């Protein structure tokens, strides 16, 4: 059974379009994340949600908007796509251990290419 | 500014040898440090977590050390195998902030 799943796996689109990436976890975790991994393989956090509430919002253009309809889902909507948005986007989840955060479980990634 | 450095972007070793990867950090006071493995085209996979009050942690052929004085973690893979070839990432928490910051990774290649 897939623990953290993302759709789509590949996304090719033109500049200016709006797109969404979906993420679901079946681990019962209470915290979910979105990361961006650029061409140099540097993994950088974008957002984190705990129990559907936004707790981390790194310096990300407001064209990126996360939405968490429930604890098991965290979707990423991107408006007005730009060339620089091309990257691999990873969703992850973890369980808050009451003051310590355990390991994160990552999805397979979504490779976004903006042309 | 806060920085995490993983020495050696790429490391090649011979099968059967011990691979040692380094993670150094500055201007952090992490409560714990984690190591992940990432294969091409896949998401990172958690390997080990070590807390600030632990000196060493082991799991099968893996060993992690954590020296908060030197601000350094070493990750060892003993009796390395070609299947261990991957990129290894270290990650630190930001104390009270609920997030991990990842290093840029070391690409390990184990040669048969």
């Amino acid at each position: 059974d897939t623990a953290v799943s993302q759709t789509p796996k590949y996304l090719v689109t033109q500049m200016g379009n709006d797109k969404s990436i979906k993420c679901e976890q079946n681990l019962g975790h209470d915290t979910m994340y979105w990361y961006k991994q650029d061409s140099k393989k540097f993994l950088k956090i974008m957002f984190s949600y705990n129990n559907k509430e936004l707790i981390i919002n790194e310096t990300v253009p407001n064209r990126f908007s996360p939405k968490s309809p429930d604890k098991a889902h965290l979707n990423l909507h991107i408006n007005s796509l730009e060339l620089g948005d091309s990257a691999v986007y990873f969703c992850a989840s973890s369980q808050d251990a009451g003051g310590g955060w355990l390991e994160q479980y990552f999805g397979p990634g979504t490779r976004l290419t903006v042309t | 500014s806060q920085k995490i450095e993983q020495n050696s972007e790429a490391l090649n070793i011979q099968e059967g040898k011990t691979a040692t990867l380094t993670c150094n950090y500055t201007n952090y006071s992490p409560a714990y440090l984690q190591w992940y493995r990432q294969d091409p085209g896949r998401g990172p996979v958690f390997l080990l977590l070590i807390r600030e009050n632990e000196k060493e942690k082991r799991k099968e052929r893996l060993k992690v050390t954590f020296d908060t004085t030197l601000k350094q973690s070493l990750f060892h893979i003993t009796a390395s195998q070609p299947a261990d070839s991957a990129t290894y990432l270290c990650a630190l928490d930001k104390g009270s902030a609920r997030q991990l910051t990842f290093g840029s990774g070391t690409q390990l290649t184990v040669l048969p």
Side-chain angles (χ1 to χ4, degrees), chain A residues 9 33 35 37 40-43 45 48 50 55-56 58 90 96 100-109, chain B residues 32 34 36 38 41-46 49 51 87 89 93-104:
Chain A
K9 186 155 176 65
Y33 311 81
Y35 287 87
Q37 189 169 47
K40 292 184 179 178
K41 307 299 183 188
F42 189 61
L43 194 64
I45 191 164
S48 174
N50 177 261
I55 57 170
I56 294 170
E58 287 294 288
F90 288 101
D96 186 340
W101 288 270
L102 301 179
E103 64 269 23
Q104 294 187 12
Y105 290 78
F106 284 78
Chain B
Y32 57 87
Q34 301 184 27
Y36 288 77
Q38 186 174 21
R42 293 178 176 267
V45 175
F46 171 78
L49 178 153
R51 300 182 194 280
T87 296
L89 305 165
D93 73 294
K94 275 194 168 184
S96 59
R98 286 168 138 168
Q99 64 185 85
L100 288 180
T101 302
F102 282 82
S104 55

Side-chain angles (χ1 to χ4, degrees), chain A residues 46-47 60-66 76-79 85 89:
Chain A
M46 299 172 68
F47 302 102
V60 177
N62 56 16
R63 297 182 294 105
F64 291 79
S65 53
L76 184 65
H77 189 76
I78 316 170
N79 289 328
D85 298 332
Y89 292 84

Side-chain angles (χ1 to χ4, degrees), chain A residues 27-96:
Chain A
L27 298 166
H29 289 167
D30 59 7
T31 306
M32 296 184 71
Y33 311 81
W34 276 109
Y35 287 87
K36 179 180 180 181
Q37 189 169 47
D38 59 26
S39 56
K40 292 184 179 178
K41 307 299 183 188
F42 189 61
L43 194 64
K44 186 170 170 57
I45 191 164
M46 299 172 68
F47 302 102
S48 174
Y49 268 74
N50 177 261
N51 285 317
K52 295 169 50 181
E53 190 178 322
L54 181 67
I55 57 170
I56 294 170
N57 183 353
E58 287 294 288
T59 308
V60 177
N62 56 16
R63 297 182 294 105
F64 291 79
S65 53
K67 285 185 173 48
S68 181
D70 55 56
K71 271 177 50 172
H73 296 84
L74 181 62
N75 303 323
L76 184 65
H77 189 76
I78 316 170
N79 289 328
S80 304
L81 278 154
E82 300 178 357
L83 292 176
D85 298 332
S86 295
V88 181
Y89 292 84
F90 288 101
C91 176
S93 72
S94 69
Q95 183 61 36
D96 186 340

